[in-house]
Every structure is written in structure tokens, then in C-alpha cells.
Amino acid sequence: MNLQEIRYLVAVAEHRHFGRAAEACNVSQPTLSSQIRKLETELGVTLFERTNKRVDVTPVGRQILIHAQQALAEAGQMQAVARAARDPLVGPLKLGVIPTLAPYLMPLILMPLRQAYPGLTIELWEDQTRSLIDGLRNHRLDAALLATTADAPEITEIALFIEPLLAALPLDHRLAAAKTISEDALAEELMVLADGHCLANHALAACGTKRSVSRTGFQNSMQAATLETLVNLVAAGYGATLIPALAADSLGRRGIVLRPLAGRSSRTIRLASRPGFPAPTSSSRARKNGPKGSGHGPGAIPARASPAGCAKNPFNSLRNPNSSRFSSDIFTS
């Protein structure tokens, strides 16, 4: 047997129709049918039950199909490794990003990456940390941007940058006039995202629950699935929350006050990938040869989360946070 026959097998199983499978494989139906019959003869089993109306996979065919899909996935990985050896920044990159980072970081780096590396195609998958780690383990993802350690030996990580957390308060909050906010002062009124979002744990740990990350009755009754909803609740006077600095430009104009935290609470953004995937090589090359540009202005990443010129280094130069964007003007509006 060969990979082409395996591709035909998977295509017929997916489409449950020889004609549509042949069209998807860009071959004639007689060619595809003959190759399937050849594969069945070689294996000595019937893979498909054929009728005039439908095509079904036989029980043994379903077992073989699992291995066929794995074989094609591994063949694809071989091609990806070879392609990356020629140029690690060419081809698809299946990138996962957590929801509290994707809307605020990706607009800053997608265009610079596309301009600098036109051969690189970002396939974005936004999901919670656990799903992204599972995606790395199951080869559905090549790399992921996380705010916590993966805590998995089969996954490698590169720390990219430290992102400060900011206090988000209603306009009439008793601490709205303060220059900085003590994390402990928000413990009793802190609203956090629903379970599964790592930012919720960061916020709880920062605001007085460092020994035991747990939720109060108030926090269980006021949860949100998105930062936008959480900020809307703050603006309506239901409590306070912490937001990542990258979200300040987008969320800071929604009837809230943003203040830096006295304890300088933050989170570390990491690039995680499988050891066999050449993402670290790609990252190192991007760090060295990133697209040129000022990167400052309305879209620049705030201090400690700034690339000192976002466009100059869209991924890993985020480690060098010297932008002046994160200054007092962000808190005085």
C-alpha cells in the first residue's frame, strides 16, 4: 500500500460517496474505485459496504481508518519538519491563543508577521488553556500562546513577555482617585471570569487569596465568560476586576477607571509548542529578523508588555518592554 491509497480510503470514509471522494482527490471515480479495491485485496478485508444509495465503513474498516488517519497525520508532520528545515517561517502555523489575550495581542502582530513572512500562514484557534494544551498534545495545534505554564513534559515553552494587570473600577468608586490600588483592597468586591479562564486564577491570587485560590459567594454569583462582559458589570457598579494591560486601550473607554496595582501583579505570556515542532526555531528567527517599524502609537503594547516597537518584533521581542505607551495618561481619562 502507499500514501495515495490511504488518502483515498480516508476521503471515501469522510464523504461516504465515491464520486465526491474522487472529486476531492482530483482523480476520476474509476481510478479511485480501483485503488480502493486494490487496497482491500492487499489487506484481505472489505473496507466499505457499497449500495446504490450509500457507502458505509465496515467495522474492520473503522479500525483501519484510525490508523490511516494517523499515518496521514504523521506523513504531514514529516513534510512540515522538512519544510521547516528549509525555511521555518513558511507554511501553515496552527496557533492557539487564550481568549483574554487574542483580541488584544493578535491585531498588533498579525499584520507585521504577514508583511515580514508572506509564506507563513497563521491558522488561529482561540480557546481556554486546557483545550489548547490538549490541542498541542493531539497535534491539532503547532503552538499556543498561554498565560500559565503548560505543566506537561511533552510541551516546550518560551517566556515572551510580562504583562501587568490593572485595576478596573467604576467611575464613582471610592478608590477611583488613587494613583495606585492595593490588590488586597479589592478582595471583597473582585469579580472574575468563569472557571477555566486562567485570568480568574491570576486575579484571585493577586487580591488576597495567594495561599488558597478560591471564590467567595459574591464571586460565584457574578461571573462572566468574556472580559467585555466583566468590564460592563464594573461600569454598571457591580464591583471591580483586574484586566491585562494589553486590553487597556480596548476596554478602558467603557465607563471605567484603570489604575496600576501597588503590588505590580502581572502574568507571563508564554509560547508553548511540541518538542518536535520547529516553532522555537521560527520564534528565534522572528526575534532576529522581525519586520521593521516604529510600533509606537495607539496600538503599541503597554510597558512591560511592550515590544519596544511592536512591529519591529511581533513575537519574541515582546521580552524587551521599553514602550512609553504605558504611562500616566492611560489612567487620567
Side-chain angles (χ1 to χ4, degrees), residues 55-183:
V55 175
D56 289 323
V57 185
T58 63
V60 67
R62 284 194 292 270
Q63 297 179 49
I64 291 174
L65 179 63
I66 295 173
H67 296 285
Q69 292 168 331
Q70 292 174 346
L72 292 182
E74 289 301 320
Q77 287 298 313
M78 291 170 60
Q79 293 174 336
V81 170
R83 182 171 59 246
R86 299 191 301 269
D87 189 341
L89 290 170
V90 170
L93 174 65
K94 298 176 182 177
L95 179 66
V97 191
I98 54 174
T100 58
L101 181 65
Y104 316 111
L105 177 63
M106 301 317 292
L108 303 180
I109 66 175
L110 285 177
M111 185 60 72
L113 280 172
R114 184 176 182 182
Q115 292 173 344
Y117 310 111
L120 180 66
T121 303
I122 301 293
E123 299 179 5
L124 194 63
W125 183 358
E126 182 179 323
D127 211 333
Q128 294 182 5
T129 302
R130 182 178 299 177
S131 295
L132 297 183
I133 293 174
D134 287 342
L136 290 173
R137 286 172 170 158
N138 298 327
H139 291 204
R140 295 192 304 269
L141 292 176
D142 299 319
L145 290 169
L146 309 175
T148 57
T149 59
D151 196 24
E154 68 273 26
I155 295 175
T156 60
E157 297 177 337
I158 299 174
L160 297 181
F161 63 93
I162 296 174
E163 183 181 20
L165 300 179
L166 307 177
L169 312 171
L171 294 176
D172 58 354
H173 194 274
R174 69 186 190 284
L175 299 175
K179 292 184 178 180
T180 61
I181 305 295
S182 169
E183 287 91 331

Side-chain angles (χ1 to χ4, degrees), residues 163-169 179-183 186 190-191 199 202-203 206-207 227 230-231 234 240-252 256-267 302-305 325-331:
E163 183 181 20
L165 300 179
L166 307 177
L169 312 171
K179 292 184 178 180
T180 61
I181 305 295
S182 169
E183 287 91 331
L186 302 178
L190 184 71
M191 295 186 297
L199 183 60
H202 289 139
C207 295
L227 271 178
L230 203 58
V231 167
V234 171
T241 194
L242 303 186
I243 70 169
L246 280 170
D249 279 347
S250 175
L251 302 179
I256 62 172
V257 173
L258 296 180
R259 293 289 181 265
L261 294 168
R264 299 176 64 82
S265 295
S266 62
R267 63 180 186 173
R304 287 206 298 158
R325 177 66 187 90
F326 192 64
S327 57
S328 59
D329 66 329
I330 199 172
F331 307 115

Side-chain angles (χ1 to χ4, degrees), residues 205-320:
C207 295
T209 56
K210 295 181 184 297
R211 289 187 298 275
S212 176
V213 179
S214 59
R215 296 173 184 263
T216 65
F218 169 76
Q219 288 153 355
N220 279 322
S221 66
M222 298 294 290
Q223 296 184 45
T226 68
L227 271 178
E228 287 77 5
T229 299
L230 203 58
V231 167
N232 288 336
L233 289 171
V234 171
Y238 283 94
T241 194
L242 303 186
I243 70 169
L246 280 170
D249 279 347
S250 175
L251 302 179
R253 300 178 177 87
R254 298 194 178 190
I256 62 172
V257 173
L258 296 180
R259 293 289 181 265
L261 294 168
R264 299 176 64 82
S265 295
S266 62
R267 63 180 186 173
T268 300
I269 304 302
R270 297 172 171 86
L271 179 65
S273 64
R274 302 187 309 275
F277 186 79
T281 304
S282 305
S283 304
S284 299
R285 181 168 166 185
R287 179 162 59 247
K288 181 178 180 181
N289 301 317
K292 303 297 186 268
S294 66
H296 295 288
I301 296 179
R304 287 206 298 158
S306 167
C310 168
K312 183 178 180 181
N313 204 343
F315 260 129
N316 287 344
S317 62
L318 294 172
R319 293 179 175 184
N320 185 15

